[in-house]
Amino acid sequence: GIEVELSGTRLDEVRDGAGALMGTLMQKPEYGFGKVRPDPMNFNTPGPEMHVRIDRVRAADLGIDVTALGLGVQALVDGAVVGDFRYAGDAIDLLLTRPPGMELSPESLASIPVAVTAENGGGSVPLAAIATLERVAAPQTIKRIEQLRAITLT
């Protein structure tokens, strides 16, 4: 077998190059459909993703720590590892997640309350007041080779 690794800093260029090369190889009788295998397999099948872009100036005006806000949003959506616990010589990750009964949809994420510091009036503001939320199509899996985004064709 032959492996061809395509890598770069821009995922869209790597994906387009891998798609073009794979299309060309699949037209050749010696390779053909089913004989060329990409890794990741779903490199050209985007999935839905929500981008949360925090307005750093607005957050600073309200005394909101951008790093803590990012960790909080990650914990609400996917869960976030916040440390580890040692037990009998094993390290067990401590995962911060939302309560099991709390429903969360992409639409409701914008209304999640974010605490404002007491020096800035206290209370809370919805996430949408300090961040832009945008639905995008993103790769389901990103492979990396030497810290560059990559796709391998075998």
Side-chain angles (χ1 to χ4, degrees), residues 7-148:
S7 63
T9 55
R10 296 198 45 197
L11 185 59
D12 57 337
E13 291 177 354
V14 174
R15 185 185 59 235
D16 292 347
L21 180 57
M22 188 169 168
T24 300
L25 290 173
M26 290 175 67
Q27 292 175 4
K28 304 280 183 187
E30 59 270 24
Y31 300 115
F33 183 77
K35 293 184 179 177
V36 179
R37 294 182 318 273
D39 178 26
M41 290 293 286
N42 58 1
F43 79 91
N44 57 356
T45 308
E49 185 173 281
M50 182 70 76
H51 280 194
V52 178
R53 298 189 201 292
I54 300 169
D55 181 339
R56 292 176 179 272
V57 174
R58 178 81 174 121
D61 288 345
L62 295 172
I64 297 169
D65 181 338
V66 176
T67 303
L69 178 59
L71 181 65
V73 170
Q74 181 182 357
L76 280 171
V77 176
D78 290 329
V81 176
V82 294
D84 61 28
F85 176 74
R86 300 253 176 219
Y87 180 75
D90 292 329
I92 301 168
D93 287 338
L94 296 175
L95 185 67
L96 179 64
T97 61
R98 69 178 176 270
M102 180 183 176
E103 293 295 322
L104 187 66
S105 67
E107 294 75 27
S108 67
L109 188 61
S111 63
I112 294 294
V114 177
V116 176
T117 61
E119 298 86 36
N120 293 296
S124 66
V125 295
L127 181 60
I130 55 171
T132 304
L133 287 82
E134 177 185 15
R135 280 181 179 258
V136 297
Q140 296 174 28
T141 305
I142 298 175
K143 177 181 175 179
R144 294 188 185 272
I145 297 175
E146 295 182 10
Q147 298 181 352
L148 294 175

